[in-house]
Amino acid sequence: MKLEFGYGTGVQTVQVPEKNLMGVLTANEMQHERRGEDAVRHALAHPIGAEPLHTLAKPGQKIAIIASDVSRPVPSSEILPAILDELHAAGCRDEDITVVFALGSHRHHTVQEQERLAGSEVFRRVRCVDSDPDDCVHMGVTKNGTPVDVTRAVAQADFRICTGNIEFHYFAGYSGGVKAIMPGVSTPAAIQANHRMMVSELACAGNLDTNPLRQDIEEAGRICGVDYIVNVVLDEHRKIVYAVAGDAVLAHRAGCQYLDRMYRKPIAQKADIVLVSQGGAPKDANLYQTQKALDNAKHAVKKGGTIILIGACQEGLGSAKFEQWLTGSPSAHAMVERIGREFELGGHKAAAIGMVLENARIDLVSKMDSDFVRSIFLNPQPSAQAAFDEAMERYGPDARVLAMPFGGATLPVVKEEGVN
C-alpha cells in the first residue's frame, strides 16, 4: 500500500506491504453541533458541575479572567466576550474585571499582542495585563512540595475564571483546566518543582487520574481557588468545535472526553515500526514543533522498535535552549536526568526526546545535515522509503507497522491498557 506523509510543502511516500500494516491513524470523523463563539455561549448556558456564571459572580467583586498567552492556539477573542456578557448580567462592572495573560515561562507580550489576543473591544473595555513572576503571592505548598506562588492580579482577586483549550499534553495528560494557574501564572521555581515530575512514566498524554504532575497541578488549583473554567476544543485548523464551562475539574473532564472522541485511536498492539509526521508545513518547520508528533508516536511503538519521524525541519531545531540541551549533552539519558533537577523551557523538549530514546530508535527524515542529526542522538535517513526498507530488514518480513500521517493530533492507546 502506498502511504503519503506531509513533508514541508511536499510529501514523502512509502510503500508498505498490506500484510504488515496494522493501521493508518487519522482523526475520527465527528459532527460538531456548534462552532466558534456559539459553542462558548452554549457552554456558559449549560454549565457542568456549577451554577451559571451570572448567578455566582457578584457585583463589587474583583474578578480575574486568566487567558492563554501568544504561544498557545487559543482564540481568546471568541471566548472573552461571552464571559463578559455573563459577568455584566451578574451586575459586575468593567472596571472590576482584569484579563491576565498566563505567561508561564514565556516572554512578555507587546501591547499589540495583548489587544489581538483579547480582541479590540474587550481590550478597550477591561484591564489587560501579563502575569508577573516577580510579583507573586505565596498561597501555600502542595504535598509534593510545589510552592503555590501566584501572580498578584490573580491571587488577590475575589473570583477567578480560567480559560484555555484542551488538547493532549505530553506530560500533563491534557492541557486546560487549572493548568492556567500552574504553570500559567506561577513563578519559575513553582514551575520547576511541578515539571520535574515529567520524568514519571505516568506523566504522559491522555492520563489524568494517576498522573502525578497533573495531580500536583490540580492541588495547586485547589489551594489558589478557581471559581469557574471556560475551555474549548479545537479542530486541526485551530477552530473552536466544542466548549465546556463550570467546575474546574468536572467541566475539564467533560472536555477531555470530547477530545478523546476526536483524536484518541485504539490500537490492538504496539508496532515494530511507526511511520509518523506532523502533516507537513507549517507544523514541521523545525524539530521543536515536530517533536509533538514524535511524542504521540511513542505510545504506538514497542520497546526496541523504531519510530520513523518525517519532518522537513527546514528551519533546523527552532529553539536556542532546545539546541543547547541537544548539542551540549553527553548522552540522551543525560538530558532525562537533567530535567529532573533543572526544568528549562526548550530543554524539556530535548528531555522528552531523550525519554523516547530510552525505549526506541528514532530515524529522522529531514532537511537537516546528517552529521548534525547524528550529533543530537537521532539517525538521519535520506527518505521515508529508505528508512522503512532498512527497518524492515531489522525486524524481518513479519514486522508490524503503524502509520500516523497527522501524528500531532492523534493519540494511540493500546486497547487492553486503557487510559483514564
Side-chain angles (χ1 to χ4, degrees), residues 63-69 76-77 79-81 84 93-103 108-132 151 153-154 163 185:
I63 297 169
I65 307 173
I66 306 166
S68 297
D69 78 334
S76 296
S77 61
I79 300 171
L80 295 174
L84 290 190
R93 303 176 303 169
D94 284 346
E95 51 264 43
D96 290 330
I97 301 169
T98 301
V99 172
V100 182
F101 296 109
L103 298 183
H108 283 274
H109 295 115
T110 65
V111 173
Q112 291 76 18
E113 286 172 332
Q114 288 185 346
E115 182 172 3
R116 177 165 58 83
L117 287 169
S120 296
E121 183 180 354
V122 171
F123 187 76
R124 175 181 55 81
R125 287 170 50 188
V126 304
R127 179 174 172 246
C128 295
V129 300
D130 285 348
S131 61
D132 185 352
T151 196
V154 173
T163 70
V185 294

Coordinates of all heavy atoms in Angstrom, one line a residue, residues 63-69 76-77 79-81 84 93-103 108-132 151 153-154 163 185:
I63 N -12.6 40.6 39.8 CA -12.6 39.3 39.0 C -11.4 39.3 38.1 O -11.1 40.2 37.4 CB -13.9 39.3 38.2 CG1 -15.1 39.3 39.1 CG2 -13.9 38.1 37.2 CD1 -16.4 39.5 38.4
A64 N -10.7 38.1 38.1 CA -9.6 37.8 37.2 C -10.0 36.7 36.3 O -10.4 35.7 36.7 CB -8.4 37.4 38.1
I65 N -9.8 37.0 35.0 CA -10.0 36.0 33.9 C -8.6 35.7 33.4 O -7.9 36.6 32.8 CB -10.9 36.6 32.8 CG1 -12.2 37.1 33.3 CG2 -11.2 35.5 31.8 CD1 -13.1 37.8 32.3
I66 N -8.2 34.5 33.5 CA -6.9 34.1 33.1 C -7.0 33.5 31.7 O -7.8 32.6 31.4 CB -6.3 33.0 34.0 CG1 -6.3 33.5 35.5 CG2 -4.9 32.6 33.6 CD1 -6.1 32.4 36.5
A67 N -6.2 34.2 30.8 CA -6.3 33.8 29.3 C -4.9 33.3 28.9 O -3.9 33.7 29.5 CB -6.7 35.0 28.5
S68 N -4.9 32.5 27.8 CA -3.6 32.0 27.3 C -2.7 33.0 26.7 O -3.3 34.0 26.1 CB -3.9 30.8 26.3 OG -4.6 29.8 27.0
D69 N -1.4 32.8 26.6 CA -0.5 33.7 26.0 C -0.4 33.5 24.5 O -1.1 32.6 24.0 CB 0.9 33.7 26.7 CG 1.7 32.5 26.3 OD1 1.1 31.5 25.9 OD2 2.9 32.6 26.4
S76 N -8.8 33.4 22.2 CA -9.5 34.0 23.4 C -10.4 35.1 23.0 O -11.4 35.4 23.7 CB -8.4 34.6 24.3 OG -7.5 33.6 24.8
S77 N -10.2 35.7 21.8 CA -11.1 36.8 21.4 C -12.5 36.3 21.1 O -13.5 37.1 21.0 CB -10.6 37.5 20.1 OG -10.4 36.5 19.1
I79 N -13.8 33.8 23.2 CA -14.2 33.3 24.5 C -14.5 34.4 25.4 O -15.6 34.4 26.1 CB -13.1 32.4 25.1 CG1 -12.7 31.3 24.2 CG2 -13.5 31.9 26.5 CD1 -11.5 30.5 24.6
L80 N -13.7 35.5 25.4 CA -13.9 36.5 26.4 C -15.2 37.3 26.3 O -15.8 37.7 27.3 CB -12.6 37.5 26.4 CG -11.3 36.8 26.8 CD1 -10.2 37.8 26.5 CD2 -11.3 36.4 28.2
P81 N -15.6 37.7 25.1 CA -16.9 38.5 25.0 C -18.1 37.8 25.7 O -18.9 38.4 26.4 CB -17.1 38.6 23.5 CG -15.7 38.6 22.9 CD -15.0 37.5 23.8
L84 N -17.7 38.1 29.5 CA -18.0 39.4 29.9 C -19.5 39.7 30.0 O -20.1 40.3 30.9 CB -17.4 40.5 29.0 CG -15.8 40.6 29.1 CD1 -15.4 41.8 28.4 CD2 -15.4 40.7 30.6
R93 N -18.9 45.2 37.0 CA -18.5 46.4 36.2 C -17.2 46.1 35.5 O -16.4 45.4 36.0 CB -18.4 47.6 37.1 CG -19.6 48.0 37.9 CD -19.3 49.2 38.8 NE -18.2 48.9 39.7 CZ -17.6 49.8 40.4 NH1 -17.9 51.1 40.4 NH2 -16.6 49.5 41.2
D94 N -17.1 46.7 34.4 CA -15.8 46.5 33.6 C -14.6 46.9 34.4 O -13.6 46.2 34.3 CB -15.8 47.4 32.3 CG -16.7 46.9 31.2 OD1 -17.1 45.7 31.3 OD2 -17.0 47.6 30.3
E95 N -14.7 47.9 35.2 CA -13.5 48.4 36.0 C -13.1 47.4 37.1 O -12.0 47.5 37.6 CB -13.7 49.8 36.6 CG -15.0 49.9 37.4 CD -16.1 50.5 36.5 OE1 -16.3 50.1 35.3 OE2 -16.9 51.4 37.1
D96 N -14.0 46.4 37.4 CA -13.6 45.4 38.4 C -13.1 44.1 37.8 O -12.8 43.1 38.5 CB -14.8 45.1 39.2 CG -15.2 46.2 40.2 OD1 -14.3 46.9 40.6 OD2 -16.4 46.3 40.5
I97 N -12.9 44.1 36.4 CA -12.5 42.9 35.7 C -11.1 43.1 35.1 O -10.8 44.1 34.5 CB -13.5 42.6 34.6 CG1 -15.0 42.4 35.1 CG2 -13.1 41.3 33.8 CD1 -16.0 42.3 34.1
T98 N -10.3 42.1 35.3 CA -8.9 42.1 34.8 C -8.7 40.8 34.0 O -8.9 39.7 34.5 CB -7.9 42.2 35.8 OG1 -8.1 43.4 36.6 CG2 -6.5 42.2 35.2
V99 N -8.2 40.9 32.7 CA -7.8 39.8 32.0 C -6.3 39.6 32.2 O -5.5 40.6 32.0 CB -8.1 39.9 30.5 CG1 -7.4 38.8 29.7 CG2 -9.6 40.0 30.2
V100 N -5.9 38.5 32.7 CA -4.5 38.2 33.0 C -4.0 37.2 32.0 O -4.4 36.0 32.0 CB -4.3 37.7 34.4 CG1 -2.8 37.5 34.7 CG2 -4.9 38.7 35.4
F101 N -3.0 37.5 31.2 CA -2.4 36.6 30.2 C -1.4 35.7 30.9 O -0.4 36.2 31.5 CB -1.8 37.3 29.1 CG -2.8 38.1 28.3 CD1 -2.8 39.5 28.3 CD2 -3.7 37.4 27.5 CE1 -3.7 40.2 27.6 CE2 -4.7 38.2 26.7 CZ -4.7 39.5 26.8
A102 N -1.6 34.4 30.9 CA -0.8 33.5 31.6 C 0.5 33.2 30.8 O 0.5 32.5 29.8 CB -1.5 32.2 31.8
L103 N 1.6 33.8 31.3 CA 2.9 33.6 30.5 C 3.6 32.4 30.8 O 4.4 31.9 30.0 CB 3.8 34.8 30.9 CG 3.3 36.2 30.5 CD1 4.4 37.3 30.8 CD2 2.9 36.3 29.0
H108 N 7.2 38.3 27.8 CA 6.0 39.3 27.9 C 5.5 39.6 26.5 O 6.2 39.5 25.5 CB 6.5 40.5 28.6 CG 6.6 40.3 30.1 ND1 5.5 40.5 31.0 CD2 7.6 40.0 30.9 CE1 5.9 40.2 32.2 NE2 7.2 39.9 32.2
H109 N 4.3 40.1 26.5 CA 3.6 40.5 25.2 C 3.9 41.9 24.9 O 4.2 42.7 25.8 CB 2.1 40.3 25.3 CG 1.6 38.9 25.5 ND1 1.0 38.4 26.6 CD2 1.7 37.9 24.6 CE1 0.7 37.1 26.4 NE2 1.1 36.8 25.2
T110 N 3.8 42.3 23.7 CA 3.6 43.7 23.3 C 2.2 44.1 23.5 O 1.3 43.2 23.6 CB 4.0 43.9 21.8 OG1 3.0 43.2 21.0 CG2 5.4 43.3 21.5
V111 N 1.9 45.4 23.6 CA 0.6 45.9 23.7 C -0.3 45.4 22.5 O -1.5 45.0 22.7 CB 0.5 47.4 23.8 CG1 -0.9 47.9 23.8 CG2 1.3 47.9 25.1
Q112 N 0.3 45.4 21.3 CA -0.4 44.9 20.2 C -0.8 43.5 20.3 O -1.9 43.1 19.9 CB 0.4 45.2 18.9 CG 0.7 46.6 18.5 CD 1.7 47.3 19.4 OE1 2.5 46.6 20.1 NE2 1.7 48.6 19.4
E113 N 0.1 42.7 20.8 CA -0.3 41.2 21.0 C -1.4 41.0 22.0 O -2.3 40.2 21.8 CB 1.0 40.5 21.4 CG 2.0 40.2 20.3 CD 3.3 39.6 20.8 OE1 3.7 39.9 22.0 OE2 3.9 38.9 20.0
Q114 N -1.4 41.8 23.1 CA -2.4 41.7 24.1 C -3.8 42.1 23.5 O -4.8 41.4 23.7 CB -2.2 42.7 25.2 CG -1.0 42.2 26.2 CD -0.9 43.2 27.4 OE1 -1.4 44.3 27.4 NE2 -0.1 42.7 28.4
E115 N -3.8 43.1 22.6 CA -5.0 43.5 22.0 C -5.5 42.5 21.0 O -6.7 42.2 21.0 CB -4.9 44.9 21.3 CG -6.2 45.4 20.6 CD -6.0 46.8 20.1 OE1 -4.9 47.3 20.1 OE2 -7.0 47.3 19.6
R116 N -4.6 41.9 20.3 CA -5.0 40.8 19.4 C -5.6 39.6 20.1 O -6.6 39.0 19.7 CB -3.8 40.4 18.5 CG -4.1 39.3 17.5 CD -3.1 39.2 16.4 NE -1.8 39.0 17.0 CZ -1.3 37.8 17.4 NH1 -2.1 36.7 17.3 NH2 -0.1 37.6 17.8
L117 N -5.0 39.2 21.2 CA -5.4 38.1 22.0 C -6.8 38.3 22.6 O -7.7 37.5 22.5 CB -4.4 37.8 23.1 CG -3.1 37.1 22.7 CD1 -2.1 37.2 23.8 CD2 -3.3 35.7 22.2
A118 N -7.0 39.5 23.2 CA -8.3 39.8 23.8 C -9.4 40.2 22.9 O -10.6 39.9 23.2 CB -8.1 40.9 24.9
G119 N -9.0 40.7 21.7 CA -10.0 41.3 20.8 C -10.1 42.8 21.2 O -10.0 43.2 22.3
S120 N -10.2 43.6 20.1 CA -10.2 45.1 20.3 C -11.2 45.6 21.3 O -10.9 46.4 22.2 CB -10.4 45.8 19.0 OG -9.3 45.5 18.1
E121 N -12.4 45.1 21.3 CA -13.5 45.6 22.2 C -13.2 45.2 23.6 O -13.3 46.1 24.5 CB -14.8 45.0 21.8 CG -16.0 45.6 22.6 CD -17.3 45.1 22.2 OE1 -17.4 44.4 21.2 OE2 -18.3 45.4 22.9
V122 N -12.8 44.0 23.9 CA -12.5 43.6 25.2 C -11.3 44.3 25.8 O -11.3 44.8 26.9 CB -12.3 42.0 25.3 CG1 -11.7 41.7 26.7 CG2 -13.5 41.3 25.0
F123 N -10.3 44.5 24.9 CA -9.1 45.2 25.3 C -9.4 46.7 25.7 O -8.8 47.2 26.6 CB -8.1 45.2 24.2 CG -6.7 45.7 24.5 CD1 -5.8 45.0 25.3 CD2 -6.3 47.0 24.1 CE1 -4.6 45.5 25.6 CE2 -5.1 47.5 24.4 CZ -4.2 46.7 25.1
R124 N -10.4 47.3 25.0 CA -10.8 48.6 25.3 C -11.6 48.7 26.6 O -11.4 49.7 27.3 CB -11.6 49.2 24.1 CG -12.1 50.6 24.3 CD -12.9 51.0 23.1 NE -14.0 50.1 22.8 CZ -15.2 50.0 23.4 NH1 -15.4 50.8 24.4 NH2 -16.1 49.1 23.0
R125 N -12.3 47.7 26.9 CA -13.3 47.8 28.0 C -12.7 47.4 29.3 O -13.1 48.0 30.4 CB -14.5 46.9 27.7 CG -15.4 47.4 26.6 CD -16.5 46.4 26.2 NE -17.2 45.8 27.3 CZ -18.0 44.8 27.2 NH1 -18.2 44.2 26.0 NH2 -18.6 44.3 28.3
V126 N -11.8 46.4 29.4 CA -11.3 46.0 30.7 C -9.8 46.0 30.7 O -9.1 46.1 29.7 CB -11.8 44.5 31.0 CG1 -13.3 44.4 30.9 CG2 -11.2 43.5 30.0
R127 N -9.3 46.0 31.9 CA -7.8 46.0 32.1 C -7.2 44.7 31.6 O -7.7 43.6 32.0 CB -7.5 46.2 33.6 CG -6.0 46.2 34.0 CD -5.9 46.6 35.4 NE -4.5 46.5 35.9 CZ -4.2 45.6 36.8 NH1 -5.1 44.8 37.4 NH2 -2.9 45.5 37.2
C128 N -6.2 44.7 30.9 CA -5.5 43.5 30.4 C -4.0 43.6 30.8 O -3.3 44.6 30.4 CB -5.6 43.4 28.9 SG -7.3 43.1 28.3
V129 N -3.5 42.6 31.5 CA -2.1 42.6 31.9 C -1.5 41.2 31.7 O -2.2 40.2 31.6 CB -2.0 43.0 33.4 CG1 -2.6 44.4 33.7 CG2 -2.7 41.9 34.3
D130 N -0.2 41.2 31.7 CA 0.6 39.9 31.7 C 0.8 39.5 33.1 O 0.9 40.3 34.0 CB 2.0 40.1 31.0 CG 1.9 40.2 29.5 OD1 0.9 39.9 28.9 OD2 2.9 40.6 28.9
S131 N 0.8 38.2 33.3 CA 1.2 37.7 34.6 C 2.7 38.1 34.9 O 3.5 38.3 34.0 CB 1.1 36.2 34.7 OG 2.0 35.5 33.8
D132 N 3.0 38.3 36.2 CA 4.3 38.8 36.5 C 5.0 37.9 37.6 O 4.6 37.9 38.7 CB 4.2 40.2 37.1 CG 5.5 40.9 37.4 OD1 6.5 40.2 37.3 OD2 5.5 42.1 37.8
T151 N 0.7 35.0 40.6 CA 0.8 36.4 40.3 C -0.3 37.2 41.0 O -1.4 36.8 41.1 CB 0.7 36.6 38.7 OG1 1.2 37.9 38.4 CG2 -0.7 36.4 38.2
A153 N -2.2 39.7 40.6 CA -3.5 40.1 40.0 C -4.5 39.0 40.1 O -5.7 39.2 40.1 CB -3.3 40.5 38.5
V154 N -4.0 37.7 40.1 CA -4.9 36.6 40.3 C -5.1 36.2 41.7 O -6.2 36.0 42.2 CB -4.3 35.4 39.5 CG1 -5.1 34.1 39.8 CG2 -4.3 35.6 38.0
T163 N -9.5 30.2 31.6 CA -9.8 29.8 30.2 C -8.7 29.1 29.6 O -7.5 29.1 30.1 CB -10.2 31.1 29.4 OG1 -9.0 31.9 29.1 CG2 -11.2 31.9 30.1
V185 N 0.2 31.1 35.7 CA 0.5 32.4 36.4 C 1.4 32.1 37.6 O 1.2 32.8 38.6 CB -0.8 33.1 36.8 CG1 -1.5 33.5 35.5 CG2 -1.7 32.2 37.6

